[in-house]
Amino acid sequence: LSSLWMISSLSAAIWSFSATIYSFCYSLLSQKARKENPKGFLIFSACFAWLLFLDGLLSVQAEISSLSILERLVKPVYLLFLLYYVLRYWKTLHKGDVILWGLAFGCFSAFILTEAHSLGPRFVERYLLEDAPKFLGLAAWGAYAFRTSRRFMLYEFRRSKEV
């Protein structure tokens, strides 16, 4: 149980890091009135990261108590949220670091697939096959959040100096 708490806390911290970066950049860029600002992308990314932050905090409770009905509803909601995100912001996603985003997306997909075919209580196999892709995806998402937000901010501030 203590390793579960540690893993959950680390996941929540990484999601919080990503959500904070997106939220901060959104707050700075929201002062700009230009239409081509990626404000919608930033706020949607922040909301998605905050949602997964809460999920990381609540995953311990879900592991302790059997909330299988809620768990069956959460995954499709995340999938629909992610599908909308990708379709809506496809061009904006490619303005960032595509390799990091692809790595995060691929790792999260691997995590969901291995979690669907859970290995049960075997500690090493479970955490190696399920949580390794999850944490690699989290690290890639955090790096993507930082690099993409930084790129948007640098572009915007260079542009405002030119005007």
Side-chain angles (χ1 to χ4, degrees):
L1 190 60
S2 64
S3 63
L4 179 65
W5 283 99
M6 183 183 74
I7 290 169
S8 177
S9 297
L10 186 58
S11 296
I14 295 171
W15 283 120
S16 175
F17 166 77
S18 299
T20 302
I21 288 173
Y22 284 130
S23 299
F24 177 71
C25 289
Y26 171 78
S27 70
L28 290 178
L29 287 179
S30 65
Q31 299 167 4
K32 307 282 184 186
R34 285 205 284 280
K35 191 172 186 161
E36 65 271 5
N37 271 345
K39 293 183 295 191
F41 170 77
L42 291 169
I43 195 64
F44 200 87
S45 299
C47 289
F48 188 60
W50 283 122
L51 178 71
L52 292 172
F53 163 77
L54 289 174
D55 181 60
L57 289 179
L58 297 175
S59 67
V60 172
Q61 182 183 357
E63 191 73 27
I64 294 170
S65 64
S66 179
L67 298 173
S68 60
I69 294 173
L70 182 62
E71 192 68 25
R72 282 187 235 141
L73 293 174
V74 168
K75 296 266 195 260
V77 169
Y78 288 165
L79 182 63
L80 290 173
F81 204 82
L82 185 62
L83 183 62
Y84 174 80
Y85 179 71
V86 170
L87 293 175
R88 172 73 172 91
Y89 298 109
W90 183 254
K91 291 180 182 178
T92 308
L93 286 167
H94 287 342
K95 290 179 184 176
D97 195 333
V98 178
I99 293 172
L100 282 174
W101 190 84
L103 180 64
F105 187 75
C107 288
F108 291 141
S109 299
F111 165 68
I112 290 171
L113 289 174
T114 57
E115 191 179 49
H117 304 303
S118 183
L119 298 172
R122 294 181 295 193
F123 179 80
V124 174
E125 291 90 354
R126 178 174 179 225
Y127 288 105
L128 183 63
L129 293 176
E130 285 184 17
D131 289 337
K134 177 182 176 181
F135 283 115
L136 187 56
L138 278 168
W141 180 270
Y144 177 82
F146 178 77
R147 290 175 56 97
T148 302
S149 297
R150 181 179 175 267
R151 183 174 290 139
F152 288 147
M153 296 301 293
L154 287 174
Y155 174 76
E156 193 63 38
F157 287 122
R158 284 184 190 140
R159 190 172 175 158
S160 65
K161 285 182 180 179
E162 293 173 0
V163 175

